[in-house]
Amino acid sequence: NDDIQGTGAVVLAGFINGMKAQGTELKDSRMIFFGAGSAACGVALQIAQLMAFEGMSVEEARSHIYMFDQKGLLTTTRGDELPDYNKEFARTDGAPDTSNLVELIKYVKPHALFGLSGAGPLFGQDVIEAMCASTERPLIFPLSNPT
């Protein structure tokens, strides 16, 4: 529960203020989550709920969120069985079935990148450069805890 609510509350506050500093409206924001476990899904759900509170449907809010795990982007077409908690974030819109984070960043052009995984380190120079190319002032939350 701490992963979901505690991490979510802190990251949500950073995201809200980061979007303001960027000058990006929540309704226009796109984000990638590296990690698709309880912490990442909890934070993503809180962001989706905030976006819904701001006037969009939860389904539309989820469409702004791209979840990426150790096998790649969560999609309904990538060929494996997703856990129930991941299914609500699986892409159904024809997004590429990529396992390359830099490729996904170039495709999505996200405003924010969240690292919430037990894997890593992953945010190398190529990832940071891709984020900087995608938006003028990218938000990067390196919260992963590889052990």
Side-chain angles (χ1 to χ4, degrees), residues 100-141:
N100 184 299
L101 182 57
V102 172
E103 285 179 17
L104 183 62
I105 291 168
K106 290 177 181 178
Y107 174 79
V108 174
K109 297 182 180 25
H111 299 93
L113 174 63
F114 299 89
L116 287 153
S117 172
L122 187 78
F123 292 175
Q125 184 172 342
D126 58 341
V127 169
I128 303 305
E129 287 175 355
M131 283 298 296
C132 290
S134 77
T135 191
E136 188 176 331
R137 298 174 74 185
L139 299 180
I140 301 173
F141 292 84

Side-chain angles (χ1 to χ4, degrees), residues 46 87 138:
Q46 286 191 21
K87 289 179 181 175

Side-chain angles (χ1 to χ4, degrees), residues 13-41:
F15 176 71
I16 291 168
N17 287 302
M19 289 291 99
K20 288 178 183 176
Q22 245 182 34
T24 303
E25 297 288 330
L26 287 176
K27 66 180 178 59
D28 298 324
S29 64
R30 293 177 306 281
M31 63 220 72
I32 295 174
F33 283 80
F34 178 76
S38 61
C41 289

Side-chain angles (χ1 to χ4, degrees), residues 27-76:
K27 66 180 178 59
D28 298 324
S29 64
R30 293 177 306 281
M31 63 220 72
I32 295 174
F33 283 80
F34 178 76
S38 61
C41 289
V43 172
L45 183 58
Q46 286 191 21
I47 290 173
Q49 289 170 339
L50 171 67
M51 294 171 87
F53 181 77
E54 294 288 320
M56 66 175 58
S57 70
V58 174
E59 293 77 24
E60 183 182 359
R62 282 190 203 123
S63 76
H64 294 245
I65 298 169
Y66 293 75
M67 301 291 283
F68 189 94
D69 68 8
Q70 72 273 13
K71 295 179 184 174
L73 179 63
L74 298 186
T75 68
T76 56

